[in-house]
Amino acid sequence: MITIPYLTALTTYFSYGLLFAFGQLRDFFRKIFDWCRASNLQGYAPICLGLEDFYIRRLYLRIQDCFGRPIASAPDAWFDVVERYSNDNNKTLKRTTKKSRCLNLGSYNYLGFAASDEYCTPRAIESLKRFSPSTCSARVDGGTTTLHTELEECVANFVQKPAAIVFGMGYVTNSAILPVLMGKGGLIISDSLNHNSIVNGARGSGATIRVFQHNTPSHLEKVLREQIADGQPRTHRPWKKIIVVVEGIYSMEGELCKLPEIVAICKKYKAYVYLDEAHSIGAVGKSGRGVCELLGVDTADVDIMMGTFTKSFGSCGGYIAGSKELIQYLKYTCPAHLYATSISPPAAQQIISSIKVILGEDGTSRGAQKLARIRENSNFFRSELQKMGFEVLGDNDSPVMPIMLYNPAKIPAFSRECLKQNVAVVTVAFPATPLLLARARICISASHTKEDLVKALEVISRVGDLVGIKYFPAEPNKQQQEKGMIKVD
């Protein structure tokens, strides 16, 4: 739970109120001018209508240069950011031929596999020559190659489940699977800060949805107890099925799921556990097997394990792992398997190769070194940010580090100032986060060197002072402490 300082909340509300008031005033005059002009769409309702459209036009477009920045190289520790300009107050952005070499603190390249790799890249190129870029077919038609079968066996072995099924897109893995598993008469209990793919999948299922307070097992138990006692709406019949959906690492908070407590509660009330490991699989745990390994939870106690290949494995797509009966059922019923084009063969080979590196099956210890490095880098960077006085969310070992900005004016200021000093960061605001809780999300990689992290910390500290986002007093460094001791002596 984030506790916002009173003054910060007040100034943030005031800033949004001011933007809203001036936006409404501009819209009022816009309607007058539009009324005077001839319209080709008389009688049609506006295709874009409502507060979302207002937010995009009057708030987002003013700072859209901070989002969707195009890059011109692999998303390694350093990458090339294409420079853009606007002649109409940011309504449209045009690319230039200029590029800036920037330190990458925004990509999900947790283990560094997104760049060229001595083991993975040659094998991906070879698979491209052998299979082509796409199967041009769904899995049930002509879209299952030997690589797809090998990948599913490899994933099942890696996450220590009996079977697995893979999909071409991580977002679809959640949004297409939940409607297959759940339906009318079922109950989905979802963490309040679950990813949008889970939210949309739950809504599309037709099941009843209840939300529990973020990462709070005691509230989950309360909701479960109440819902089991009440039963289905109107009829009060027992629920056909109950699934509790949580994430391993929450992508906007950087927090680890309290999985042992949640699993214990679900066992007590006979509810299924659905674990989304998009940001945790490959990134945490002694051998990269995610939060189950890190927190000492038996994978047999997690009924449905979901994950993506877009973070730690440097590829695309997602997977569901579970019992053989579950996976067989999904292969017969899931539209993402039946109708969508299968995952690209070179992408499948990239995943297989990266898993082999992580497990040391390439004949080296590079995988273990990458896992040790990302853990060291993450904990070092988080610790230093906190010492500087930033409000940093999340837990140790998590490679996701949100720095709280709050005020809407600080979103573009922080992003632009960092970019000027060749550090590329991702800023996140409404609707991805609650209105008051804007933040910069730092993602650390095993490919970052100590020098990279020190440079990033120096830049972020300078920008933090300039923008005014150090909400806590900074800790004195060792030199200041030594000087203080000398003076006392």
Side-chain angles (χ1 to χ4, degrees), residues 226 417 428:
E226 288 175 353
E417 288 300 322
V428 188

Side-chain angles (χ1 to χ4, degrees), residues 324-366:
K324 288 182 179 179
E325 294 78 15
L326 170 69
I327 300 306
Q328 196 64 35
Y329 173 74
L330 293 177
K331 286 182 177 180
Y332 290 138
T333 56
C334 182
H337 181 80
L338 297 172
Y339 306 115
T341 303
S342 61
I343 190 169
S344 168
Q349 181 61 62
Q350 166 70 20
I351 302 158
I352 294 167
S353 301
S354 59
I355 289 175
K356 287 182 177 179
V357 172
I358 292 169
L359 296 177
E361 293 176 7
D362 63 329
T364 71
S365 61
R366 288 198 307 125

Side-chain angles (χ1 to χ4, degrees), residues 10-24 59 408 435:
L10 191 65
T11 55
T12 304
Y13 270 126
F14 179 76
S15 298
Y16 275 113
L18 208 60
L19 286 166
F20 184 80
F22 274 98
Q24 290 289 354
L59 280 80
L435 193 66

Side-chain angles (χ1 to χ4, degrees), residues 139 145-158 164-167 309 315-316 318-319 343-345 347-355:
R139 287 289 303 274
T145 67
T146 53
L147 280 178
H148 292 88
T149 306
E150 183 185 354
L151 174 59
E152 288 176 342
E153 291 173 358
C154 186
V155 169
N157 174 64
F158 183 65
I165 182 172
V166 297
F167 304 96
F309 304 123
S315 188
C316 62
Y319 69 85
I343 190 169
S344 168
Q349 181 61 62
Q350 166 70 20
I351 302 158
I352 294 167
S353 301
S354 59
I355 289 175

